[in-house]
Structure formats: C-alpha cells, structure tokens
Amino acid sequence: MYFFSANLSSVDLCFSSVTVSKALVNHMVGSKSISYTECMAQMYLMFTFSNMDSFLLSMMAYDRYVAILPHFFCDPYPILKLSRSDTFINDLMVFTVGGVIFLTPFSFVVSYAYIFSNVLKMPSTHGIKKVLPTCGSHLPVVSLFYGAMLGVYMRPSSSYSLQDMVIAVIFTVVTPLVNTFIYSLKNWHMKRALRR
C-alpha cells in the first residue's frame, strides 16, 4: 500500500505541476497566451499523468479488495487460491522449502520430549519442579507456533479455509504477544515492577 501511495503522491505532484505552473506564470505576468508547442506538451503530460493517476487508483482499489478477501495480511495460500491455473508446482515448492526450513528448527524443539522422558524417570519430584518453570512457559508458545504452521502450510493450498485464517492469526498475532508476556514475566525486574 505504501508503494502505491508514494507513487500516487509523485504522480499527483507532476499532474498538478503541469497545469498550475503555467497558470501561475500567466497570472504573475498578466498574460493568458500559450504557444502551440507548450499547449501540446501540457495536454500530453496532463493526459499521461491523469492516466497514471487512474491506473494507480484502480490498482490501489484492487489491492484493498485483495486485502479484504477475509485476510489481514498477504498469506501465500489465499493468493494461490485466487489463481485460475494449476498450483501443484507452488504447493510442491511450499512443501519442499517450507518443510526444510520448518523441520530443521523443529527438530531441536523435539528435544522437549527427551527432557520430559528423563524427568519422568527421576524418582523425586525435584526434577519436575525444576523443569516446569524452565520449560513450562516455552512449551505452550512453541506448540502454538509450530502447531499453527503445520496446520496451515503443510497441506495443499486448495484446502485453505476460514479456519486456516483464524489459525494464521494465532501464529502472526497471538504467539508474538504471548512471547512478550512470557519472557518478560520471567524477568525478575519485570516481576518486581508489576508487583509495585
């Protein structure tokens, strides 16, 4: 949207300059004359910039239409769903690249399973009391984020639904919000400030 707004501002500035500059000169000089060449150049530039204005405004309208497909950000699957062509290659690319990029960090997160299995083998509750404050806050955030990502992107784009849009809100809005609270509340200074 900012790209279109910046271009629209530039085109509007040029569009106004084409007519207003000559009108101001004529007003200051007290003349209403314009040469044939100046007139043709002014008409050409006026039509060019007005057409650019028109196309930019229509593109901005389409951009807003796409933004209001019921989505609040430019998610790849809703965009692919708008396509009238076969999206098999795009889906394959999302699965391949997304799988590698997604599964590499996820493989480290699976270490929680090892942590919990080792803690459960301990005879005392001391291990559980130590693990819960350390891992307990991080695990729900990781589950929300990776669960939402798996649920939305690890299946074909043709199955994208309203429910997936809600899930997309979870990993784009809820998870970062929860991260802020969880990691700041673990901070001793933050806890003290909240108590005050």
Side-chain angles (χ1 to χ4, degrees):
M1 197 65 221
Y2 294 117
F3 170 77
F4 291 124
S5 298
N7 281 308
L8 185 66
S9 297
S10 300
V11 169
D12 282 343
L13 179 69
C14 294
F15 180 64
S16 298
S17 299
V18 168
T19 54
V20 173
S21 59
K22 183 62 178 168
L24 287 175
V25 168
N26 285 347
H27 180 71
M28 290 172 64
V29 175
S31 168
K32 293 183 180 178
S33 65
I34 187 168
S35 71
Y36 176 77
T37 308
E38 288 175 333
C39 183
M40 288 295 118
Q42 189 181 52
M43 280 194 331
Y44 172 78
L45 291 172
M46 187 179 71
F47 290 144
T48 300
F49 291 125
S50 66
N51 285 336
M52 287 174 74
D53 235 356
S54 176
F55 284 116
L56 277 168
L57 289 170
S58 65
M59 290 306 297
M60 290 171 77
Y62 182 74
D63 181 59
R64 290 185 180 158
Y65 164 74
V66 169
I68 300 172
L69 269 138
H71 304 287
F72 72 101
F73 70 102
C74 200
D75 202 7
Y77 275 176
I79 299 298
L80 285 175
K81 211 167 183 180
L82 290 174
S83 174
R84 294 180 189 265
S85 61
D86 184 25
T87 60
F88 174 76
I89 298 295
N90 301 75
D91 286 338
L92 185 64
M93 193 63 145
V94 169
F95 289 142
T96 305
V97 174
V100 170
I101 292 172
F102 177 78
L103 292 176
T104 303
F106 184 70
S107 63
F108 292 103
V109 173
V110 174
S111 65
Y112 279 119
Y114 296 114
I115 293 171
F116 284 114
S117 68
N118 287 333
V119 168
L120 292 175
K121 292 176 187 174
M122 292 180 178
S124 72
T125 59
H126 176 70
I128 294 173
K129 288 180 182 176
K130 187 174 183 180
V131 167
L132 282 179
T134 307
C135 301
S137 60
H138 189 242
L139 194 59
V141 173
V142 167
S143 301
L144 272 174
F145 182 76
Y146 282 107
M149 293 285 276
L150 272 172
V152 173
Y153 294 113
M154 291 298 131
R155 48 193 194 137
S157 62
S158 58
S159 65
Y160 194 87
S161 66
L162 184 62
Q163 179 185 2
D164 294 319
M165 185 191 73
V166 173
I167 294 170
V169 171
I170 289 173
F171 74 84
T172 58
V173 176
V174 175
T175 304
L177 184 68
V178 171
N179 275 342
T180 307
F181 285 113
I182 286 176
Y183 294 113
S184 62
L185 289 176
K186 287 181 81 171
N187 185 332
W188 180 79
H189 296 290
M190 184 62 129
K191 285 181 185 175
R192 201 170 94 197
L194 281 174
R195 279 190 210 120
R196 269 193 266 142

